[in-house]
Amino acid sequence: MVQYVGVENLTALIRSVGIETFLSELAGYIEDDFRRWPAFDKVPRVASHSSEGVIELMPTADDMLYGFKYVNGHPSNIHKGLQTVTAFGVLSDVRSGYPLLLSEMTLLTALRTAATSAVAARYLARPDSRVMAIIGLGAQSEFQATAFKALLGITHLRVYDLAPAATLKFCRNMRDSGLDVIVAESSQYAVLGADIITTITADKLKATILSDNMIGAGVHINAVGGDCPGKTELQAEILLRGRVFVELPEQTRIEGEIQQMAEDFPVTELWQVVAGEDPGRRSACEVTIFDSVGFATEDFSALRYLRDKVQDTNFHTEIDLLAELPDPRNLFGLLKA
Amino acid sequence: MVQYVGVENLTALIRSVGIETFLSELAGYIEDDFRRWPAFDKVPRVASHSSEGVIELMPTADDMLYGFKYVNGHPSNIHKGLQTVTAFGVLSDVRSGYPLLLSEMTLLTALRTAATSAVAARYLARPDSRVMAIIGLGAQSEFQATAFKALLGITHLRVYDLAPAATLKFCRNMRDSGLDVIVAESSQYAVLGADIITTITADKLKATILSDNMIGAGVHINAVGGDCPGKTELQAEILLRGRVFVELPEQTRIEGEIQQMAEDFPVTELWQVVAGEDPGRRSACEVTIFDSVGFATEDFSALRYLRDKVQDTNFHTEIDLLAELPDPRNLFGLLKA
């Protein structure tokens, strides 16, 4: 039998654990896996494009576990009342090839993205950071806010979105968060005095959400929204002024903010910082940029955490995705029994 | 909600439909999809190798549906009482990217492999074929026997396996099949008088299961066992003497019998025969060879058939692999509700 964690059980698990604790523990797994980055089999995601969107498979493995995520991206879904991104994933035993756990990953991806941002910021933001600006208040925004509160000690948010409905949704969701939220009237105003700036806008365009003149010394930019070819949020000058940190350079050069830059634009891999091979932030006035696009190991960490977390609990069920045969050679016997 | 067909429901469905009818209907879907072969997005499978085996993802899509199969191959599993190959798959809506159906595919792969062999043989074997030899009586053998009875009108089997236990299992499973089974004392004896020869041995070696002198005029060879690098069953002379038909040439040249041959060894694509662009068998004395390795479109056909078949039945359940959100932008709201 394969363990199954659907939306209902994952939601119940997170409520039971508490979302801040969940994000903190998840961040620990993500950090551990970044630290042992060379141990992973890293292959490019496999994408199937259509006129409406893309469906991707993102596999990775270490020598014990194999994981993959199925994820779609369909911007026009929002007009049909559907989510633009949904996902599910599987964790398997490398030695037998048998799947162990199947999980919903729409929610889990939102959590791992925010936890990864917070892990990066712990190495890259100034330790005294308390104020975060968030530009773009879509589905990912509350997860970012919560992860930065739980992992960085952020106390104040300055937020902005073009759409009043998104702002309203964000404020409603953050009402009891313990965070002090200021709704700004523009991006320019939102970033004033912020130690950390998170950009997570949804437009599938080369946009300039942040321009160089908006970025003060010592700021850490958590650039999450520029995550596919043709979609960026930062003016190139910012990338030239700061130090850029990435997950997998070959993927980020295609999908991230640095798609605007030359092929040999210098970047530092986040895992090197986590593993202690690079110091990360070098001074209080340096501008640091985490050019986040998401990578398969983060999903692997999330599945690994979830699997550990649901053992000996009722937050999973079992499904008969695999036959259990008395004689493994006698598959046909299933039909005769 | 996503529809789910596990081992129990698939087994019950097949028993309810009847395995011969199931194989015949499935073959119809496979044939339809081979006929419209150029309509598919065909990408190489994505493999993750370890010392114990391989885990592969096999995606494909047309303009309406996307499908992928997860499949492992772990030869040493048999010594642990586990199956060497297990699989599951998902069918999705290309327009929304949402998964529609999740199914076990261990059993379904065995069925689609046999149905594909039978589809090929309907175009490549002599129409008066009544006797089939089967060399190798592992997990796939009974499926092949049943598919060739249902789709080709095979009445007599001549079978051989090195292992007496496999032979016993095969004979027990075929007892009430209506097929006349002769257990041969050697491969040489098994192929005597056979119109069709199916090879499905398990050794992960370049073996010579069939040598040229064993193959009479007019025979169709259904070469199923040679399906990965380093594993072949036919002497090269047979491939030079007959006409070789394949699924996807670039994949078969790496995995199939023709891995023994030069890179430009001439082959005919099965879809061209099904689509009427190639005559298939040209005379009663020609030797034809279907060098089968399995391709993603066959899994796609199987998932498509299964989805159509389980609608308005109880042979599936629903699982909450996807969140259903009143406001698709408010993913965080799931945790607050």
Side-chain angles (χ1 to χ4, degrees), chain A residues 132-136 144 148 196-200 220-224:
Chain A
M132 177 158 86
I134 305 182
I135 319 292
Q144 289 282 340
F148 277 75
I196 298 173
I197 303 172
T198 291
T199 55
I200 27 174
H220 172 62
I221 302 172
N222 176 39
V224 181

Side-chain angles (χ1 to χ4, degrees), chain B residues 289-308:
Chain B
I289 300 136
F290 177 43
D291 186 0
S292 167
V293 298
F295 186 62
T297 56
E298 296 152 24
D299 302 310
F300 178 95
S301 308
L303 287 167
R304 196 167 66 79
Y305 168 57
L306 185 62
R307 178 157 183 264
D308 288 351

Side-chain angles (χ1 to χ4, degrees), chain B residues 138-207:
Chain B
Q140 171 65 201
S141 57
E142 299 94 340
F143 295 92
Q144 290 281 341
T146 310
F148 277 74
K149 171 174 184 281
L151 281 115
L152 273 282
I154 289 295
T155 54
H156 288 70
L157 297 180
R158 301 177 61 85
V159 304
Y160 177 71
D161 194 290
L162 274 171
T167 307
L168 198 65
K169 174 214 65 157
F170 180 86
C171 291
R172 199 179 292 131
N173 281 331
M174 290 289 103
R175 197 159 19 194
D176 307 317
S177 66
L179 284 161
D180 186 346
V181 179
I182 289 175
V183 176
E185 64 197 13
S186 68
S187 321
Q188 285 76 7
Y189 185 64
V191 304
L192 285 183
D195 305 304
I196 297 173
I197 303 172
T198 291
T199 55
I200 27 175
T201 59
D203 266 345
K204 234 191 154 178
L205 287 169
K206 287 197 195 289

Side-chain angles (χ1 to χ4, degrees), chain B residues 49-177:
Chain B
H49 294 272
S50 66
S51 54
E52 292 90 349
V54 63
I55 297 176
E56 295 178 336
L57 299 174
M58 300 168 66
T60 192
D62 64 16
D63 57 358
M64 298 290 285
L65 294 169
Y66 168 96
F68 81 89
K69 181 168 79 171
Y70 166 108
V71 59
N72 76 292
H74 286 66
S76 63
N77 273 4
I78 207 80
H79 307 301
K80 306 173 201 160
L82 300 176
Q83 298 168 83
T84 55
V85 175
T86 72
F88 65 89
V90 170
L91 198 67
S92 301
D93 178 1
V94 163
R95 284 166 302 184
S96 69
Y98 272 40
L100 302 168
L101 173 79
L102 165 71
S103 176
E104 91 80 44
M105 286 194 82
T106 310
L107 197 49
L108 204 54
T109 297
L111 290 156
R112 73 80 159 139
T113 300
T116 302
S117 282
V119 166
R122 278 211 292 212
Y123 291 91
L124 302 177
R126 294 194 327 275
D128 62 349
S129 297
R130 292 296 171 268
V131 181
M132 178 158 85
I134 305 181
I135 318 291
L137 301 174
Q140 171 65 201
S141 57
E142 299 94 340
F143 295 92
Q144 290 281 341
T146 310
F148 277 74
K149 171 174 184 281
L151 281 115
L152 273 282
I154 289 295
T155 54
H156 288 70
L157 297 180
R158 301 177 61 85
V159 304
Y160 177 71
D161 194 290
L162 274 171
T167 307
L168 198 65
K169 174 214 65 157
F170 180 86
C171 291
R172 199 179 292 131
N173 281 331
M174 290 289 103
R175 197 159 19 194
D176 307 317
S177 66

Side-chain angles (χ1 to χ4, degrees), chain B residues 233-262:
Chain B
E233 296 177 320
L234 309 189
Q235 201 180 35
E237 283 71 13
I238 299 173
L239 303 171
L240 291 166
R241 203 174 122 212
R243 271 185 88 205
V244 177
F245 298 82
V246 304
E247 288 139 319
L248 190 74
E250 44 274 46
Q251 185 176 308
T252 311
R253 289 188 195 280
I254 295 168
E255 301 175 2
E257 294 299 328
I258 57 168
Q259 65 186 275
Q260 308 175 58
M261 314 308 279

Side-chain angles (χ1 to χ4, degrees), chain A:
Chain A
M1 298 297 268
V2 175
Q3 295 184 330
Y4 171 63
V5 181
V7 173
E8 192 178 323
N9 266 325
L10 182 60
T11 305
L13 171 67
I14 296 166
R15 283 195 202 137
S16 149
V17 172
I19 181 166
E20 291 191 34
T21 304
F22 191 96
L23 281 163
S24 300
E25 291 178 352
L26 171 55
Y29 277 69
I30 291 171
E31 200 167 350
D32 285 347
D33 287 340
F34 269 108
R35 195 171 288 120
R36 61 192 188 91
W37 186 255
F40 286 95
D41 185 12
K42 292 173 285 288
V43 295
R45 55 181 96 193
V46 188
S48 175
H49 294 273
S50 66
S51 54
E52 291 91 349
V54 64
I55 297 176
E56 295 178 336
L57 300 174
M58 299 168 66
T60 192
D62 64 15
D63 57 359
M64 297 290 285
L65 293 169
Y66 168 96
F68 81 89
K69 180 168 81 172
Y70 167 108
V71 59
N72 75 292
H74 285 68
S76 63
N77 273 4
I78 208 79
H79 308 300
K80 306 173 201 162
L82 301 176
Q83 298 168 84
T84 56
V85 174
T86 72
F88 65 89
V90 169
L91 199 67
S92 302
D93 178 2
V94 163
R95 284 166 302 185
S96 69
Y98 272 41
L100 302 168
L101 173 79
L102 166 72
S103 176
E104 91 79 47
M105 287 193 80
T106 309
L107 198 48
L108 204 55
T109 296
L111 291 156
R112 73 81 158 139
T113 299
T116 302
S117 283
V119 166
R122 277 210 293 211
Y123 291 92
L124 302 177
R126 294 194 327 275
D128 61 350
S129 298
R130 292 294 170 268
V131 181
M132 177 158 86
I134 305 182
I135 319 292
L137 301 174
Q140 172 64 202
S141 57
E142 298 94 341
F143 295 93
Q144 289 282 340
T146 310
F148 277 75
K149 171 174 185 279
L151 281 116
L152 274 284
I154 289 295
T155 54
H156 288 69
L157 296 180
R158 302 177 60 86
V159 304
Y160 176 71
D161 194 290
L162 273 171
T167 307
L168 198 66
K169 173 214 65 156
F170 180 87
C171 292
R172 199 180 292 132
N173 282 331
M174 289 291 101
R175 196 158 22 194
D176 307 317
S177 66
L179 284 159
D180 186 346
V181 179
I182 290 175
V183 175
E185 64 197 14
S186 68
S187 322
Q188 285 78 4
Y189 185 65
V191 303
L192 285 183
D195 305 304
I196 298 173
I197 303 172
T198 291
T199 55
I200 27 174
T201 59
D203 264 346
K204 234 191 153 177
L205 287 170
K206 287 198 195 288
T208 304
I209 305 303
L210 294 183
S211 56
D212 191 36
N213 63 326
M214 292 163 70
I215 310 302
V219 163
H220 172 62
I221 302 172
N222 176 39
V224 181
D227 63 350
C228 64
K231 185 168 176 228
T232 59
E233 296 177 321
L234 308 190
Q235 201 180 35
E237 283 71 13
I238 301 174
L239 303 171
L240 289 166
R241 201 172 124 214
R243 270 184 89 205
V244 177
F245 298 82
V246 304
E247 288 139 319
L248 189 74
E250 45 274 45
Q251 185 177 307
T252 311
R253 289 189 195 280
I254 296 167
E255 300 174 4
E257 294 300 328
I258 57 168
Q259 65 185 278
Q260 309 175 58
M261 313 308 278
E263 270 176 48
D264 59 350
F265 179 78
V267 297
T268 304
E269 295 183 50
L270 180 60
W271 77 267
Q272 295 179 298
V273 181
V274 176
E277 297 183 13
D278 181 282
R281 169 172 291 273
R282 292 174 302 195
S283 77
C285 58
E286 193 172 43
V287 170
T288 52
I289 299 136
F290 176 43
D291 187 0
S292 167
V293 297
F295 186 62
T297 57
E298 296 152 25
D299 302 310
F300 178 95
S301 308
L303 287 167
R304 194 165 69 77
Y305 168 56
L306 185 64
R307 180 158 183 264
D308 288 352
K309 200 73 189 170
V310 299
Q311 296 318 304
D312 308 319
T313 75
N314 293 322
F315 295 113
H316 66 90
T317 54
E318 303 217 310
I319 58 171
D320 62 340
L321 201 55
L322 286 180
E324 272 158 40
L325 305 177
D327 170 5
R329 287 180 191 84
N330 192 8
L331 186 59
F332 196 82
L334 264 183
L335 302 176
K336 310 285 285 185

